Amino acid sequence: MLNSIFYKTIFKDLAFLVLRVFTGALLIHHGFEKLNDINNFADAFVRPLHLPFPVTLSYVAAGSEIGGSWLLILGLGTRLGASAILGTMSVAIYHAIATSGFNIYLLELLALYFASAFSIILLGPGMFSADYLIKHIINSNYDFLISIVNRQSLSNTNSSSKSKLSKPNTQKKSFDFPFTSFLSS
């Protein structure tokens, strides 16, 4: 009991959900602001960095913030969305330092978005996400999916050559709990 209280976070997956949804919901409007006046954003933020194709890169930044935010909110492709946000925040932090020096008032929001995206990449989306549901469905239907793939490959080989087909091995593997001899005696 004490072990679970002190060492295991009971609401860990709920915390991941809150982190993902709030990060996505609060960041998404930044992408839409960029789209409202893309040329102004390109002139103010991309051209001072002397990057090629400033308008195109401005669209990429806006798209990564909007698309990455939706992926975080839904929990679908969460690490991909967080990676897009992390890349955009990295460039934004570089821009803020290059143009204004180490100004904490400019860096604090960027650093919070950077830390949120980095944490989501490292920790994953949590149980309350579409990624978790997809993984759970695939893992629970693994034998079914393998049998479908085997049937498909067998039918392809049967149509190309008239050789005798063998049945796929559907023997289930058993798992023996470690130290079962100590528990049974």
Side-chain angles (χ1 to χ4, degrees):
M1 174 75 178
L2 289 176
N3 188 21
S4 66
I5 292 172
F6 291 122
Y7 297 112
K8 293 183 182 177
T9 306
I10 297 169
F11 297 110
K12 177 181 76 171
D13 293 312
L14 183 61
F16 291 152
L17 174 69
V18 169
L19 178 67
R20 280 190 359 254
V21 170
F22 274 76
T23 302
L26 294 174
L27 181 64
I28 199 166
H29 82 278
H30 291 286
F32 285 121
E33 285 179 356
K34 288 175 182 58
L35 287 180
N36 283 338
D37 194 1
I38 200 76
N39 289 323
N40 183 32
F41 177 78
D43 290 338
F45 293 99
V46 182
R47 283 195 176 94
L49 296 176
H50 305 291
L51 294 172
F53 311 111
V55 175
T56 303
L57 289 178
S58 299
Y59 278 115
V60 169
S64 69
E65 287 179 1
I66 295 169
S69 294
W70 275 114
L71 291 176
L72 289 185
I73 292 168
L74 296 174
L76 179 66
T78 308
R79 286 188 167 125
L80 177 66
S83 298
I85 291 169
L86 186 74
T88 303
M89 291 303 116
S90 299
V91 174
I93 288 171
Y94 173 75
H95 174 268
I97 291 172
T99 58
S100 301
F102 191 75
N103 184 348
I104 193 66
Y105 297 109
L106 292 175
L107 291 175
E108 64 184 352
L109 184 61
L110 299 173
L112 284 173
Y113 285 133
F114 181 90
S116 296
F118 190 67
S119 298
I120 291 168
I121 290 170
L122 293 180
L123 299 173
M127 188 170 57
F128 302 115
S129 65
D131 288 340
Y132 181 83
L133 289 175
I134 292 169
K135 179 182 172 187
H136 182 70
I137 289 169
I138 289 173
N139 285 342
S140 65
N141 296 328
Y142 181 73
D143 291 333
F144 177 71
L145 294 173
I146 293 298
S147 67
I148 290 173
V149 170
N150 285 339
R151 286 183 195 159
Q152 185 70 19
S153 65
L154 290 176
S155 66
N156 288 343
T157 58
N158 189 20
S159 64
S160 64
S161 67
K162 301 292 182 183
S163 65
K164 184 179 178 182
L165 300 175
S166 61
K167 289 179 82 176
N169 187 6
T170 58
Q171 182 181 6
K172 292 186 177 183
K173 296 180 181 179
S174 63
F175 176 75
D176 294 329
F177 187 75
F179 308 112
T180 52
S181 61
F182 294 113
L183 295 175
S184 61
S185 56

